[in-house]
Amino acid sequence: SITDGLTGIKTRRYFLEALSSEWKRGSRSGRPFSVVLIDLDKFKEVNDTMGHLEGDLVLARVGRLLEQKCRQSNVVARYGGDEFVILMPETGVEQAQILSERLRLWLATDPMLNERHITGSFGVASFPIHGSTVEEIVRVADAGMYVSKHAGGNRVSTAEEFVASPTAIAQRQVLTAFIEGFLQREDNDEKSVDELINTLRKLCGSMEGREPMMEAVRALSRACEAREIHNAGHAETCGRYVEVLARELGLQRDEFNDIAYACRIHDVGKIIVPERILCLPGPLTREEFAVVKEHSRVGAEIASCIPDSELIQKIVRHHHERFDGNGYPDGLGGDKIPLGARMLAIADAFVSMQVDRPYAPAMSIAESVAQLEENAGTQFDGMLVRLFVRQLKAEKAAKSGK
């Protein structure tokens, strides 16, 4: 469970555990560490023209090279798909950049990879200068990797390219202050949500990129989640399950990221649902359920404040559609429901079934799986249910084999 079966290097899970331990050490001692994210250039072309078996050979070769050429203290892992990640303990940004440049050159000059035109886009971030949390370090390294990718690949980009300007910092402070003020209101109805959306759109017009608005919507979503007694951590858990499905389906990185983000804010529209309804100890009346059903539509409108968020909006709007067409808000069915929304519907139900409610005790994993399988083809996409259950069984087997 700690070794990737294809490449022989460490798994994403092992890397994240090692990163968490290194962050704790760094926080206590003040010592730096660096994270390097690597995305393979032109890997999709190998899969498309030469087949997935050839693609697997490329991934195995890259994993072996990175492991051989890194220092023994580094943790080299497969991050997912054609992405790799390296944890460099006791390493500042300048040294990490030098080491990454050497690794980039090894990949670019390897005969097997060169023949298939495979190179690497590298992104580097270091603690503590690029962030105080694990999430911030990974996010900045990811942003560096994107700069390398957009510059044509085969490049190392450092996190310095993402240091916010004073203007950008001031804009974020204005946005944060508005969100905090909005959340302090007692009740929010359609009129106040219209005000929220209009203000967010005005603020967005003066900002660079979509990251500040994504953070703002995420803050709103977390606040919504905190209002529900039995819902702590729900969106994050859904996001993790959907990421497993997305990796198994081999989705492209941009689609993968948008689906994962949509899962983490899918209930943001509950900002309009009164807390008394969210925390009712029993089943809802028809009128109360009508209010709750509006959350998917309102959530999509809030998500529309994020630039280039069409996919995110669709997933948030349609995550309560049913495969048989009997869901809401638009009664879509089958493949007309966006793939991300079909994936989220499964994860959302699975996570919810394992939480104690006043009117329904928590189910076991086996009982939850049985419910998914029973409703495959009606409430859920049957193919995705089979894939989801297969991944759950693989994860259980990996844990029991530790």
Side-chain angles (χ1 to χ4, degrees):
S1 63
I2 67 171
T3 304
D4 179 62
L6 177 62
T7 61
I9 59 178
K10 295 296 187 288
T11 59
R12 178 190 180 108
R13 179 189 298 174
Y14 181 90
F15 164 78
L16 292 174
E17 290 175 357
L19 177 59
S20 177
S21 297
E22 187 61 32
W23 173 79
K24 289 175 183 176
R25 275 195 295 270
S27 298
R28 288 194 302 266
S29 65
R31 301 286 296 172
F33 66 84
S34 294
V35 169
V36 180
L37 270 171
I38 307 150
D39 186 88
L40 299 186
D41 306 318
K42 301 184 179 178
F43 178 74
K44 186 176 184 297
E45 295 175 18
V46 173
N47 271 341
D48 290 346
T49 60
M50 305 175 75
H52 289 276
L53 180 59
E54 193 69 24
D56 288 349
L57 292 175
V58 167
L59 294 175
R61 178 64 178 162
V62 171
R64 192 157 53 248
L65 275 173
L66 293 176
E67 184 94 299
Q68 288 173 353
K69 304 303 178 183
C70 275
R71 296 173 301 176
Q72 199 168 8
S73 60
N74 293 353
V75 175
V76 181
R78 187 179 176 196
Y79 203 58
D82 62 336
E83 288 183 8
F84 296 82
V85 67
I86 305 169
L87 171 63
M88 298 182 173
E90 305 272 328
T91 307
V93 65
E94 291 182 4
Q95 190 180 7
Q97 187 178 5
I98 292 169
L99 295 170
S100 297
E101 195 61 51
R102 290 176 187 168
L103 293 172
R104 181 200 64 77
L105 193 58
W106 277 111
L107 295 186
T109 56
D110 180 76
M112 185 266 201
L113 299 178
N114 190 259
E115 184 180 337
R116 291 155 182 78
H117 309 291
I118 294 292
T119 53
S121 292
F122 288 68
V124 179
S126 296
F127 175 88
I129 64 171
H130 299 131
S132 58
T133 67
V134 164
E135 292 78 13
E136 287 172 343
I137 298 300
V138 172
R139 187 165 62 242
V140 173
D142 188 63
M145 186 185 70
Y146 264 104
V147 161
S148 295
K149 184 67 76 176
H150 292 159
N154 195 23
R155 168 177 167 167
V156 175
S157 296
T158 62
E160 273 73 21
E161 298 172 52
F162 308 95
V163 175
S165 66
T167 302
I169 293 171
Q171 289 169 340
R172 288 189 183 220
Q173 288 172 342
V174 170
L175 181 58
T176 301
F178 171 72
I179 293 293
E180 288 176 354
F182 183 85
L183 292 173
Q184 288 172 6
R185 300 179 186 181
E186 288 296 321
D187 282 307
N188 290 300
D189 54 16
E190 288 274 1
K191 186 176 179 181
S192 60
V193 170
D194 286 342
E195 177 197 340
L196 167 71
I197 292 170
N198 289 333
T199 304
L200 289 179
R201 285 177 178 158
K202 287 177 184 176
L203 290 172
C204 183
S206 63
M207 293 183 177
E208 297 179 8
R210 64 178 192 166
E211 187 68 27
M213 196 56 63
M214 291 178 80
E215 289 181 8
V217 175
R218 187 80 187 277
L220 272 176
S221 182
R222 284 194 292 265
C224 290
E225 194 173 271
R227 298 167 69 219
E228 290 191 73
I229 296 173
H230 306 282
N231 220 29
H234 174 82
E236 187 65 34
T237 307
C238 286
R240 287 200 298 271
Y241 278 119
V242 169
E243 283 181 5
V244 170
L245 264 178
R247 277 195 293 275
E248 183 68 15
L249 289 167
L251 300 183
Q252 293 297 305
R253 181 171 182 79
D254 287 349
E255 185 179 8
F256 179 102
N257 286 342
D258 278 0
I259 289 175
Y261 177 80
C263 292
R264 287 173 169 83
I265 60 121
H266 68 274
D267 280 336
V268 68
K270 286 185 177 178
I271 196 79
I272 66 161
V273 182
E275 200 163 324
R276 62 175 180 79
I277 294 180
L278 290 175
C279 299
L280 276 174
L284 304 177
T285 65
R286 183 177 299 179
E287 292 76 18
E288 289 165 343
F289 186 49
V291 174
V292 172
K293 284 167 68 174
E294 284 295 297
H295 83 276
S296 56
R297 178 188 61 79
V298 172
E301 288 183 20
I302 293 173
S304 72
C305 300
I306 301 168
D308 302 318
S309 63
E310 289 77 11
L311 177 58
I312 295 169
Q313 294 171 51
K314 288 177 181 178
I315 294 169
V316 172
R317 182 179 180 89
H318 297 298
H319 72 277
H320 281 293
E321 305 284 5
R322 288 173 54 104
F323 202 69
D324 59 10
N326 291 320
Y328 64 86
D330 299 317
L332 300 184
D335 292 342
K336 291 182 180 178
I337 305 170
L339 174 61
R342 282 180 273 147
M343 296 161 66
L344 174 56
I346 293 169
D348 193 16
F350 182 73
V351 174
S352 296
M353 284 187 279
Q354 293 170 71
V355 176
D356 272 316
R357 309 279 175 173
Y359 51 89
M363 295 183 185
S364 66
I365 290 179
E367 290 170 329
S368 303
V369 167
Q371 282 291 309
L372 292 181
E373 292 176 330
E374 183 178 330
N375 290 282
T378 53
Q379 184 175 354
F380 308 115
D381 182 326
M383 182 276 289
L384 291 179
V385 168
R386 288 192 295 274
L387 193 61
F388 185 76
V389 172
R390 190 174 80 191
Q391 287 303 303
L392 288 177
K393 290 178 179 177
E395 187 174 289
K396 181 180 179 181
K399 286 181 179 177
S400 63
K402 270 192 174 182

